Amino acid sequence: FKARFPAVVPRLFVANSEAVQSRVLERTLDLGFIEGDSHMPTLVTDICCEDELQLTCAPSHPLASRKTVEAAALTQYANISREPGSGTREVVDRYLQSAGVAPESLQRVMELGSPEALKGVVATGLGFSIMSCATVVNEIRLGQLVQIPLEPRLTRSMSVVYPKERIHSQLVRGFIAFTKETLGAGGGPLQPAKR
């Protein structure tokens, strides 16, 4: 977007889905990106793409050699997760419940507020996490982390959220269109949303 519109100076705020939606509602952000569903009726939620979450661990972890991992097996190992309010945490908890595993039955040893912190701690071998495939591409390439698909697979929607108002600036409308086009193109681990 910056290459197309060099005069635009974007400001980026990184936080969990709950905080991002709050800032959009307060109008301190024009729009935001979240995982999962919005629970705020005054925001428009447009799904841009889908993302797969997989079990992520250090190469030395006991689960690292598996081809797939069922949800029930997760309760046997130390878990490092995102914090409450995270869209990823909400999606993972809902997935576990649908697989008959109570989220509180995981051996949570740490909760962290960012994917970067999560990757660093998981790479130490302290425990596993469930993370986006798109988040760990470099760490997998470098051999710091491995990912194993969950059985059944876990996918989530990635969405752009913005206020439900009829008038948005041309710049905001253009960025929303650019986002849908770019993220929905399937140029990597993220895949176009199924409509």
Side-chain angles (χ1 to χ4, degrees):
F1 191 78
K2 180 76 173 163
R4 287 187 191 175
F5 304 97
V8 173
V9 180
R11 279 179 286 170
L12 179 65
F13 168 74
V14 179
N16 68 31
S17 294
E18 187 176 283
V20 167
Q21 290 177 92
S22 293
R23 295 279 300 266
V24 172
L25 279 175
E26 295 166 356
R27 307 250 195 256
T28 57
L29 293 176
D30 291 317
L31 54 87
F33 297 96
I34 63 168
E35 310 99 345
D37 303 321
S38 173
H39 304 294
M40 305 202 176
T42 57
L43 294 180
V44 174
T45 305
D46 287 342
I47 296 173
C48 297
C49 58
E50 291 181 347
D51 183 23
E52 182 172 357
L53 301 176
Q54 294 186 353
L55 183 134
T56 307
C57 61
S60 60
H61 193 278
L63 292 170
S65 62
R66 292 217 185 160
K67 298 288 183 215
T68 61
V69 179
E70 293 182 4
L74 300 178
T75 61
Q76 301 170 35
Y77 302 92
N79 173 248
I80 303 161
S81 76
R82 286 295 304 268
E83 80 289 1
S86 157
T88 300
R89 169 80 173 258
E90 183 179 327
V91 168
V92 169
D93 285 355
R94 195 169 43 240
Y95 170 82
L96 292 170
Q97 289 169 338
S98 71
V101 176
E104 56 276 5
S105 69
L106 292 182
Q107 298 177 37
R108 285 204 173 111
V109 295
M110 193 176 289
E111 294 177 341
L112 297 165
S114 77
E116 292 304 313
L118 203 61
K119 290 187 289 188
V121 173
V122 170
T124 69
L126 180 63
F128 78 89
S129 189
I130 297 174
M131 299 181 70
S132 161
C133 293
T135 302
V136 296
V137 170
N138 288 333
E139 291 78 8
I140 289 175
R141 184 178 50 77
L142 295 170
Q144 298 168 339
L145 294 173
V146 296
Q147 283 199 303
I148 301 100
L150 295 165
E151 185 57 47
R153 285 179 132 38
L154 171 57
T155 58
R156 66 167 172 200
S157 299
M158 303 292 289
S159 302
V160 59
V161 293
Y162 49 94
K164 281 185 181 177
E165 55 192 35
R166 293 176 184 255
I167 302 171
H168 294 283
S169 73
Q170 184 176 353
L171 181 63
V172 170
R173 284 193 314 270
F175 186 73
I176 291 168
F178 173 83
T179 298
K180 290 178 184 179
E181 170 191 323
T182 304
L183 292 178
L190 300 177
Q191 299 299 317
K194 294 177 179 66
R195 305 237 180 230

Short mmCIF file of all heavy atoms in Angstrom, two decimals, residues 19-83:
data_model
loop_
_atom_site.label_atom_id
_atom_site.label_comp_id
_atom_site.label_asym_id
_atom_site.label_seq_id
_atom_site.Cartn_x
_atom_site.Cartn_y
_atom_site.Cartn_z
N ALA A 19 -8.19 -5.43 22.34
CA ALA A 19 -7.65 -4.07 22.41
C ALA A 19 -7.78 -3.35 21.07
O ALA A 19 -8.09 -2.16 21.02
CB ALA A 19 -6.19 -4.11 22.87
N VAL A 20 -7.55 -4.06 19.98
CA VAL A 20 -7.66 -3.45 18.65
C VAL A 20 -9.10 -2.99 18.42
O VAL A 20 -9.34 -1.85 17.98
CB VAL A 20 -7.20 -4.44 17.55
CG1 VAL A 20 -7.60 -3.94 16.16
CG2 VAL A 20 -5.70 -4.65 17.63
N GLN A 21 -10.06 -3.84 18.72
CA GLN A 21 -11.47 -3.46 18.51
C GLN A 21 -11.85 -2.27 19.39
O GLN A 21 -12.58 -1.38 18.94
CB GLN A 21 -12.37 -4.65 18.81
CG GLN A 21 -12.24 -5.74 17.77
CD GLN A 21 -13.09 -6.93 18.11
OE1 GLN A 21 -14.23 -7.01 17.68
NE2 GLN A 21 -12.55 -7.86 18.90
N SER A 22 -11.36 -2.24 20.61
CA SER A 22 -11.65 -1.10 21.50
C SER A 22 -11.13 0.20 20.92
O SER A 22 -11.82 1.23 20.94
CB SER A 22 -11.04 -1.33 22.89
OG SER A 22 -11.68 -2.41 23.52
N ARG A 23 -9.92 0.16 20.37
CA ARG A 23 -9.33 1.37 19.77
C ARG A 23 -10.10 1.81 18.52
O ARG A 23 -10.26 2.99 18.28
CB ARG A 23 -7.86 1.14 19.42
CG ARG A 23 -6.94 0.90 20.59
CD ARG A 23 -6.49 2.17 21.31
NE ARG A 23 -5.78 3.11 20.51
CZ ARG A 23 -4.46 3.20 20.39
NH1 ARG A 23 -3.68 2.36 21.05
NH2 ARG A 23 -3.92 4.12 19.64
N VAL A 24 -10.60 0.86 17.74
CA VAL A 24 -11.41 1.21 16.57
C VAL A 24 -12.73 1.84 17.04
O VAL A 24 -13.17 2.86 16.49
CB VAL A 24 -11.66 -0.02 15.66
CG1 VAL A 24 -12.66 0.31 14.56
CG2 VAL A 24 -10.35 -0.51 15.05
N LEU A 25 -13.34 1.29 18.08
CA LEU A 25 -14.58 1.86 18.62
C LEU A 25 -14.36 3.26 19.17
O LEU A 25 -15.22 4.13 19.02
CB LEU A 25 -15.13 0.97 19.74
CG LEU A 25 -15.92 -0.25 19.30
CD1 LEU A 25 -16.30 -1.11 20.49
CD2 LEU A 25 -17.17 0.17 18.53
N GLU A 26 -13.20 3.48 19.80
CA GLU A 26 -12.88 4.81 20.35
C GLU A 26 -12.52 5.81 19.25
O GLU A 26 -12.35 6.99 19.50
CB GLU A 26 -11.67 4.71 21.29
CG GLU A 26 -11.90 3.90 22.52
CD GLU A 26 -10.59 3.54 23.23
OE1 GLU A 26 -9.50 3.85 22.71
OE2 GLU A 26 -10.69 2.93 24.30
N ARG A 27 -12.35 5.30 18.03
CA ARG A 27 -11.96 6.09 16.87
C ARG A 27 -10.52 6.59 16.96
O ARG A 27 -10.16 7.58 16.33
CB ARG A 27 -12.90 7.26 16.64
CG ARG A 27 -14.36 6.87 16.57
CD ARG A 27 -14.89 7.02 15.18
NE ARG A 27 -16.33 6.99 15.15
CZ ARG A 27 -17.01 5.95 14.73
NH1 ARG A 27 -16.38 4.87 14.35
NH2 ARG A 27 -18.32 5.97 14.68
N THR A 28 -9.69 5.89 17.73
CA THR A 28 -8.26 6.21 17.73
C THR A 28 -7.53 5.40 16.66
O THR A 28 -6.36 5.66 16.40
CB THR A 28 -7.62 5.98 19.12
OG1 THR A 28 -7.83 4.63 19.52
CG2 THR A 28 -8.20 6.92 20.15
N LEU A 29 -8.23 4.44 16.07
CA LEU A 29 -7.76 3.71 14.89
C LEU A 29 -8.87 3.77 13.84
O LEU A 29 -10.05 3.67 14.19
CB LEU A 29 -7.48 2.23 15.20
CG LEU A 29 -6.35 1.88 16.14
CD1 LEU A 29 -6.32 0.37 16.40
CD2 LEU A 29 -5.02 2.34 15.57
N ASP A 30 -8.49 3.91 12.58
CA ASP A 30 -9.49 3.90 11.50
C ASP A 30 -10.02 2.51 11.26
O ASP A 30 -11.19 2.33 10.92
CB ASP A 30 -8.87 4.44 10.20
CG ASP A 30 -8.57 5.92 10.28
OD1 ASP A 30 -9.41 6.67 10.79
OD2 ASP A 30 -7.48 6.32 9.83
N LEU A 31 -9.15 1.51 11.39
CA LEU A 31 -9.54 0.13 11.17
C LEU A 31 -8.56 -0.78 11.89
O LEU A 31 -7.52 -0.33 12.37
CB LEU A 31 -9.59 -0.21 9.66
CG LEU A 31 -8.35 0.08 8.83
CD1 LEU A 31 -7.39 -1.08 8.88
CD2 LEU A 31 -8.76 0.36 7.40
N GLY A 32 -8.91 -2.03 11.99
CA GLY A 32 -8.04 -2.98 12.68
C GLY A 32 -8.15 -4.35 12.05
O GLY A 32 -9.07 -4.64 11.27
N PHE A 33 -7.20 -5.19 12.38
CA PHE A 33 -7.19 -6.58 11.93
C PHE A 33 -7.28 -7.48 13.15
O PHE A 33 -6.55 -7.27 14.12
CB PHE A 33 -5.91 -6.90 11.14
CG PHE A 33 -5.79 -6.09 9.90
CD1 PHE A 33 -5.06 -4.92 9.87
CD2 PHE A 33 -6.46 -6.49 8.75
CE1 PHE A 33 -4.97 -4.16 8.72
CE2 PHE A 33 -6.38 -5.74 7.59
CZ PHE A 33 -5.63 -4.57 7.58
N ILE A 34 -8.18 -8.44 13.08
CA ILE A 34 -8.38 -9.35 14.21
C ILE A 34 -8.46 -10.78 13.71
O ILE A 34 -8.75 -11.04 12.54
CB ILE A 34 -9.65 -9.01 15.02
CG1 ILE A 34 -10.92 -9.17 14.16
CG2 ILE A 34 -9.56 -7.61 15.61
CD1 ILE A 34 -12.21 -9.13 14.96
N GLU A 35 -8.22 -11.71 14.64
CA GLU A 35 -8.45 -13.12 14.36
C GLU A 35 -9.81 -13.46 14.93
O GLU A 35 -10.22 -12.91 15.94
CB GLU A 35 -7.41 -14.01 15.07
CG GLU A 35 -5.98 -13.59 14.88
CD GLU A 35 -5.43 -12.79 16.05
OE1 GLU A 35 -6.21 -12.32 16.90
OE2 GLU A 35 -4.22 -12.63 16.09
N GLY A 36 -10.48 -14.37 14.29
CA GLY A 36 -11.76 -14.82 14.83
C GLY A 36 -12.87 -13.82 14.59
O GLY A 36 -12.84 -13.04 13.64
N ASP A 37 -13.85 -13.83 15.48
CA ASP A 37 -15.06 -13.04 15.31
C ASP A 37 -15.01 -11.78 16.15
O ASP A 37 -14.43 -11.76 17.23
CB ASP A 37 -16.28 -13.87 15.73
CG ASP A 37 -16.40 -15.16 14.96
OD1 ASP A 37 -16.12 -15.14 13.75
OD2 ASP A 37 -16.76 -16.19 15.57
N SER A 38 -15.69 -10.75 15.68
CA SER A 38 -15.87 -9.54 16.47
C SER A 38 -17.13 -9.72 17.31
O SER A 38 -18.11 -10.30 16.86
CB SER A 38 -16.03 -8.32 15.57
OG SER A 38 -16.37 -7.19 16.36
N HIS A 39 -17.08 -9.23 18.53
CA HIS A 39 -18.26 -9.29 19.41
C HIS A 39 -18.82 -7.89 19.62
O HIS A 39 -19.57 -7.67 20.57
CB HIS A 39 -17.87 -9.91 20.75
CG HIS A 39 -17.26 -11.27 20.60
ND1 HIS A 39 -17.96 -12.35 20.13
CD2 HIS A 39 -16.01 -11.72 20.82
CE1 HIS A 39 -17.18 -13.41 20.08
NE2 HIS A 39 -15.98 -13.05 20.49
N MET A 40 -18.44 -6.97 18.75
CA MET A 40 -18.87 -5.58 18.90
C MET A 40 -19.81 -5.22 17.75
O MET A 40 -19.38 -5.08 16.62
CB MET A 40 -17.65 -4.68 18.94
CG MET A 40 -16.69 -5.11 20.03
SD MET A 40 -15.61 -3.82 20.55
CE MET A 40 -14.74 -4.64 21.88
N PRO A 41 -21.11 -5.10 18.06
CA PRO A 41 -22.11 -4.91 17.01
C PRO A 41 -21.98 -3.60 16.23
O PRO A 41 -22.55 -3.47 15.15
CB PRO A 41 -23.44 -4.99 17.75
CG PRO A 41 -23.12 -4.73 19.17
CD PRO A 41 -21.70 -5.16 19.39
N THR A 42 -21.24 -2.63 16.74
CA THR A 42 -21.12 -1.36 16.02
C THR A 42 -19.93 -1.35 15.06
O THR A 42 -19.63 -0.33 14.46
CB THR A 42 -20.98 -0.18 17.01
OG1 THR A 42 -19.85 -0.41 17.85
CG2 THR A 42 -22.23 -0.02 17.85
N LEU A 43 -19.27 -2.51 14.90
CA LEU A 43 -18.18 -2.63 13.95
C LEU A 43 -18.58 -3.52 12.79
O LEU A 43 -19.27 -4.52 12.97
CB LEU A 43 -16.93 -3.23 14.62
CG LEU A 43 -16.25 -2.41 15.71
CD1 LEU A 43 -15.04 -3.16 16.24
CD2 LEU A 43 -15.86 -1.04 15.20
N VAL A 44 -18.13 -3.17 11.60
CA VAL A 44 -18.25 -4.03 10.43
C VAL A 44 -17.08 -5.00 10.50
O VAL A 44 -15.95 -4.61 10.80
CB VAL A 44 -18.16 -3.21 9.12
CG1 VAL A 44 -18.13 -4.13 7.90
CG2 VAL A 44 -19.30 -2.22 9.03
N THR A 45 -17.34 -6.27 10.24
CA THR A 45 -16.30 -7.28 10.21
C THR A 45 -16.29 -7.92 8.83
O THR A 45 -17.24 -8.60 8.46
CB THR A 45 -16.56 -8.37 11.28
OG1 THR A 45 -16.69 -7.75 12.55
CG2 THR A 45 -15.42 -9.38 11.32
N ASP A 46 -15.23 -7.66 8.07
CA ASP A 46 -15.09 -8.26 6.74
C ASP A 46 -13.97 -9.28 6.78
O ASP A 46 -12.82 -8.96 7.08
CB ASP A 46 -14.73 -7.19 5.70
CG ASP A 46 -15.88 -6.28 5.34
OD1 ASP A 46 -17.04 -6.65 5.62
OD2 ASP A 46 -15.63 -5.20 4.78
N ILE A 47 -14.32 -10.53 6.50
CA ILE A 47 -13.32 -11.59 6.46
C ILE A 47 -12.43 -11.39 5.24
O ILE A 47 -12.92 -11.22 4.13
CB ILE A 47 -13.98 -12.97 6.45
CG1 ILE A 47 -14.76 -13.19 7.75
CG2 ILE A 47 -12.95 -14.07 6.23
CD1 ILE A 47 -15.59 -14.46 7.77
N CYS A 48 -11.11 -11.38 5.47
CA CYS A 48 -10.14 -11.18 4.38
C CYS A 48 -9.57 -12.50 3.90
O CYS A 48 -9.35 -12.68 2.70
CB CYS A 48 -8.97 -10.33 4.87
SG CYS A 48 -9.42 -8.69 5.35
N CYS A 49 -9.26 -13.38 4.85
CA CYS A 49 -8.59 -14.62 4.48
C CYS A 49 -8.72 -15.62 5.63
O CYS A 49 -9.26 -15.29 6.68
CB CYS A 49 -7.11 -14.38 4.18
SG CYS A 49 -6.20 -13.63 5.54
N GLU A 50 -8.23 -16.81 5.39
CA GLU A 50 -8.23 -17.84 6.43
C GLU A 50 -6.79 -18.22 6.72
O GLU A 50 -5.90 -18.07 5.88
CB GLU A 50 -9.03 -19.06 5.98
CG GLU A 50 -10.50 -18.76 5.89
CD GLU A 50 -11.35 -19.94 5.47
OE1 GLU A 50 -10.79 -20.95 5.00
OE2 GLU A 50 -12.57 -19.84 5.61
N ASP A 51 -6.59 -18.69 7.93
CA ASP A 51 -5.26 -19.01 8.41
C ASP A 51 -5.35 -20.33 9.17
O ASP A 51 -6.32 -20.56 9.89
CB ASP A 51 -4.82 -17.88 9.36
CG ASP A 51 -3.43 -18.01 9.89
OD1 ASP A 51 -2.60 -18.70 9.26
OD2 ASP A 51 -3.15 -17.42 10.95
N GLU A 52 -4.36 -21.19 9.01
CA GLU A 52 -4.36 -22.44 9.76
C GLU A 52 -3.49 -22.28 11.00
O GLU A 52 -2.42 -21.68 10.96
CB GLU A 52 -3.81 -23.60 8.92
CG GLU A 52 -3.87 -24.92 9.69
CD GLU A 52 -3.54 -26.13 8.85
OE1 GLU A 52 -3.32 -25.99 7.64
OE2 GLU A 52 -3.52 -27.23 9.43
N LEU A 53 -3.98 -22.80 12.11
CA LEU A 53 -3.22 -22.85 13.35
C LEU A 53 -2.74 -24.28 13.53
O LEU A 53 -3.49 -25.23 13.31
CB LEU A 53 -4.08 -22.44 14.55
CG LEU A 53 -4.70 -21.05 14.48
CD1 LEU A 53 -5.61 -20.82 15.68
CD2 LEU A 53 -3.64 -19.99 14.42
N GLN A 54 -1.49 -24.43 13.96
CA GLN A 54 -0.93 -25.76 14.19
C GLN A 54 -0.19 -25.78 15.52
O GLN A 54 0.19 -24.74 16.05
CB GLN A 54 0.04 -26.13 13.06
CG GLN A 54 -0.63 -26.30 11.72
CD GLN A 54 0.32 -26.82 10.64
OE1 GLN A 54 1.52 -26.95 10.85
NE2 GLN A 54 -0.23 -27.12 9.49
N LEU A 55 0.02 -26.99 16.02
CA LEU A 55 0.82 -27.16 17.21
C LEU A 55 2.24 -26.72 16.86
O LEU A 55 2.78 -27.10 15.81
CB LEU A 55 0.83 -28.61 17.67
CG LEU A 55 1.61 -28.82 18.97
CD1 LEU A 55 0.83 -29.69 19.91
CD2 LEU A 55 2.98 -29.40 18.70
N THR A 56 2.82 -25.88 17.69
CA THR A 56 4.15 -25.34 17.45
C THR A 56 5.02 -25.68 18.65
O THR A 56 4.61 -25.48 19.80
CB THR A 56 4.08 -23.81 17.28
OG1 THR A 56 3.12 -23.51 16.26
CG2 THR A 56 5.42 -23.22 16.89
N CYS A 57 6.22 -26.21 18.39
CA CYS A 57 7.11 -26.60 19.47
C CYS A 57 8.56 -26.55 19.01
O CYS A 57 8.84 -26.40 17.82
CB CYS A 57 6.76 -27.98 20.02
SG CYS A 57 6.88 -29.32 18.81
N ALA A 58 9.47 -26.70 19.97
CA ALA A 58 10.89 -26.80 19.65
C ALA A 58 11.15 -28.15 18.98
O ALA A 58 10.44 -29.13 19.23
CB ALA A 58 11.72 -26.68 20.94
N PRO A 59 12.17 -28.24 18.13
CA PRO A 59 12.48 -29.52 17.47
C PRO A 59 12.77 -30.65 18.46
O PRO A 59 12.59 -31.82 18.12
CB PRO A 59 13.71 -29.19 16.63
CG PRO A 59 13.66 -27.72 16.42
CD PRO A 59 13.02 -27.15 17.65
N SER A 60 13.18 -30.33 19.68
CA SER A 60 13.49 -31.34 20.70
C SER A 60 12.26 -31.80 21.49
O SER A 60 12.36 -32.72 22.30
CB SER A 60 14.53 -30.79 21.66
OG SER A 60 14.02 -29.61 22.30
N HIS A 61 11.12 -31.18 21.29
CA HIS A 61 9.91 -31.50 22.05
C HIS A 61 9.41 -32.90 21.68
O HIS A 61 9.53 -33.33 20.54
CB HIS A 61 8.82 -30.46 21.75
CG HIS A 61 7.68 -30.50 22.68
ND1 HIS A 61 6.63 -31.39 22.54
CD2 HIS A 61 7.40 -29.77 23.79
CE1 HIS A 61 5.75 -31.19 23.51
NE2 HIS A 61 6.19 -30.21 24.29
N PRO A 62 8.83 -33.65 22.65
CA PRO A 62 8.33 -35.01 22.37
C PRO A 62 7.29 -35.08 21.25
O PRO A 62 7.17 -36.11 20.58
CB PRO A 62 7.70 -35.44 23.70
CG PRO A 62 8.33 -34.60 24.73
CD PRO A 62 8.71 -33.31 24.08
N LEU A 63 6.55 -34.00 21.00
CA LEU A 63 5.53 -34.01 19.94
C LEU A 63 6.11 -33.67 18.56
O LEU A 63 5.44 -33.83 17.54
CB LEU A 63 4.42 -33.00 20.26
CG LEU A 63 3.53 -33.35 21.45
CD1 LEU A 63 2.64 -32.17 21.83
CD2 LEU A 63 2.69 -34.58 21.16
N ALA A 64 7.35 -33.24 18.50
CA ALA A 64 7.94 -32.72 17.26
C ALA A 64 8.00 -33.75 16.13
O ALA A 64 7.98 -33.38 14.96
CB ALA A 64 9.32 -32.16 17.53
N SER A 65 8.05 -35.02 16.45
CA SER A 65 8.19 -36.03 15.40
C SER A 65 6.85 -36.57 14.89
O SER A 65 6.81 -37.36 13.97
CB SER A 65 9.03 -37.20 15.92
OG SER A 65 8.38 -37.80 17.02
N ARG A 66 5.76 -36.11 15.47
CA ARG A 66 4.44 -36.61 15.05
C ARG A 66 4.03 -36.02 13.71
O ARG A 66 4.43 -34.91 13.35
CB ARG A 66 3.39 -36.23 16.10
CG ARG A 66 3.58 -36.97 17.40
CD ARG A 66 2.24 -37.29 17.95
NE ARG A 66 2.31 -37.89 19.25
CZ ARG A 66 1.29 -37.92 20.08
NH1 ARG A 66 0.16 -37.34 19.76
NH2 ARG A 66 1.40 -38.52 21.24
N LYS A 67 3.18 -36.75 13.01
CA LYS A 67 2.61 -36.25 11.73
C LYS A 67 1.39 -35.37 11.98
O LYS A 67 1.16 -34.41 11.26
CB LYS A 67 2.22 -37.43 10.83
CG LYS A 67 3.39 -38.30 10.44
CD LYS A 67 4.29 -37.59 9.45
CE LYS A 67 5.41 -38.51 9.03
NZ LYS A 67 6.65 -37.79 8.79
N THR A 68 0.57 -35.74 12.99
CA THR A 68 -0.58 -34.95 13.42
C THR A 68 -0.72 -35.13 14.93
O THR A 68 -0.15 -36.06 15.51
CB THR A 68 -1.90 -35.40 12.75
OG1 THR A 68 -2.17 -36.75 13.11
CG2 THR A 68 -1.85 -35.24 11.24
N VAL A 69 -1.50 -34.25 15.53
CA VAL A 69 -1.75 -34.33 16.98
C VAL A 69 -3.24 -34.11 17.22
O VAL A 69 -3.81 -33.13 16.73
CB VAL A 69 -0.94 -33.27 17.76
CG1 VAL A 69 -1.24 -33.35 19.25
CG2 VAL A 69 0.55 -33.43 17.51
N GLU A 70 -3.86 -35.03 17.96
CA GLU A 70 -5.27 -34.88 18.32
C GLU A 70 -5.39 -34.00 19.56
O GLU A 70 -4.50 -33.97 20.41
CB GLU A 70 -5.89 -36.24 18.59
CG GLU A 70 -5.98 -37.09 17.34
CD GLU A 70 -6.64 -38.44 17.60
OE1 GLU A 70 -7.09 -38.69 18.73
OE2 GLU A 70 -6.69 -39.23 16.64
N ALA A 71 -6.50 -33.32 19.67
CA ALA A 71 -6.72 -32.38 20.77
C ALA A 71 -6.57 -33.05 22.14
O ALA A 71 -5.99 -32.46 23.06
CB ALA A 71 -8.09 -31.74 20.65
N ALA A 72 -7.03 -34.27 22.29
CA ALA A 72 -6.96 -34.95 23.59
C ALA A 72 -5.51 -35.14 24.06
O ALA A 72 -5.25 -35.13 25.26
CB ALA A 72 -7.66 -36.30 23.52
N ALA A 73 -4.57 -35.29 23.14
CA ALA A 73 -3.16 -35.49 23.52
C ALA A 73 -2.52 -34.23 24.09
O ALA A 73 -1.49 -34.30 24.77
CB ALA A 73 -2.36 -35.97 22.31
N LEU A 74 -3.12 -33.08 23.85
CA LEU A 74 -2.52 -31.81 24.28
C LEU A 74 -2.47 -31.68 25.80
O LEU A 74 -1.61 -30.96 26.32
CB LEU A 74 -3.29 -30.64 23.67
CG LEU A 74 -3.34 -30.59 22.15
CD1 LEU A 74 -4.17 -29.41 21.68
CD2 LEU A 74 -1.94 -30.53 21.56
N THR A 75 -3.36 -32.34 26.50
CA THR A 75 -3.41 -32.20 27.97
C THR A 75 -2.22 -32.86 28.66
O THR A 75 -2.00 -32.65 29.84
CB THR A 75 -4.72 -32.80 28.52
OG1 THR A 75 -4.76 -34.19 28.20
CG2 THR A 75 -5.94 -32.09 27.95
N GLN A 76 -1.45 -33.64 27.93
CA GLN A 76 -0.32 -34.37 28.52
C GLN A 76 0.97 -33.58 28.55
O GLN A 76 1.97 -34.05 29.10
CB GLN A 76 -0.09 -35.67 27.74
CG GLN A 76 -1.29 -36.59 27.73
CD GLN A 76 -1.10 -37.73 26.74
OE1 GLN A 76 0.00 -38.21 26.56
NE2 GLN A 76 -2.18 -38.14 26.10
N TYR A 77 0.99 -32.37 27.97
CA TYR A 77 2.23 -31.61 27.84
C TYR A 77 2.05 -30.17 28.31
O TYR A 77 0.94 -29.63 28.27
CB TYR A 77 2.68 -31.61 26.37
CG TYR A 77 2.90 -33.00 25.82
CD1 TYR A 77 1.88 -33.67 25.17
CD2 TYR A 77 4.12 -33.65 25.99
CE1 TYR A 77 2.06 -34.96 24.67
CE2 TYR A 77 4.32 -34.93 25.50
CZ TYR A 77 3.28 -35.58 24.85
OH TYR A 77 3.48 -36.84 24.38
N ALA A 78 3.14 -29.56 28.73
CA ALA A 78 3.12 -28.16 29.15
C ALA A 78 2.71 -27.27 27.97
O ALA A 78 3.17 -27.47 26.84
CB ALA A 78 4.49 -27.75 29.67
N ASN A 79 1.84 -26.31 28.25
CA ASN A 79 1.30 -25.43 27.22
C ASN A 79 1.67 -23.98 27.51
O ASN A 79 1.61 -23.53 28.64
CB ASN A 79 -0.22 -25.58 27.15
CG ASN A 79 -0.87 -24.57 26.24
OD1 ASN A 79 -1.59 -23.70 26.70
ND2 ASN A 79 -0.63 -24.67 24.96
N ILE A 80 2.01 -23.27 26.46
CA ILE A 80 2.27 -21.83 26.53
C ILE A 80 1.23 -21.19 25.61
O ILE A 80 1.15 -21.55 24.43
CB ILE A 80 3.70 -21.50 26.07
CG1 ILE A 80 4.69 -22.27 26.92
CG2 ILE A 80 3.95 -20.01 26.13
CD1 ILE A 80 6.05 -22.40 26.31
N SER A 81 0.43 -20.29 26.13
CA SER A 81 -0.68 -19.77 25.32
C SER A 81 -0.70 -18.26 25.30
O SER A 81 0.01 -17.59 26.06
CB SER A 81 -2.01 -20.30 25.83
OG SER A 81 -2.39 -19.64 27.01
N ARG A 82 -1.53 -17.74 24.42
CA ARG A 82 -1.81 -16.31 24.41
C ARG A 82 -2.67 -15.96 25.61
O ARG A 82 -3.28 -16.80 26.24
CB ARG A 82 -2.53 -15.92 23.11
CG ARG A 82 -1.66 -15.91 21.87
CD ARG A 82 -0.57 -14.85 21.91
NE ARG A 82 -1.06 -13.50 22.12
CZ ARG A 82 -1.38 -12.65 21.18
NH1 ARG A 82 -1.25 -13.00 19.91
NH2 ARG A 82 -1.85 -11.46 21.47
N GLU A 83 -2.75 -14.68 25.90
CA GLU A 83 -3.48 -14.19 27.06
C GLU A 83 -4.98 -14.10 26.77
O GLU A 83 -5.38 -14.06 25.61
CB GLU A 83 -2.94 -12.81 27.44
CG GLU A 83 -3.46 -11.66 26.59
CD GLU A 83 -2.95 -11.59 25.13
OE1 GLU A 83 -2.17 -12.46 24.69
OE2 GLU A 83 -3.35 -10.67 24.43
#
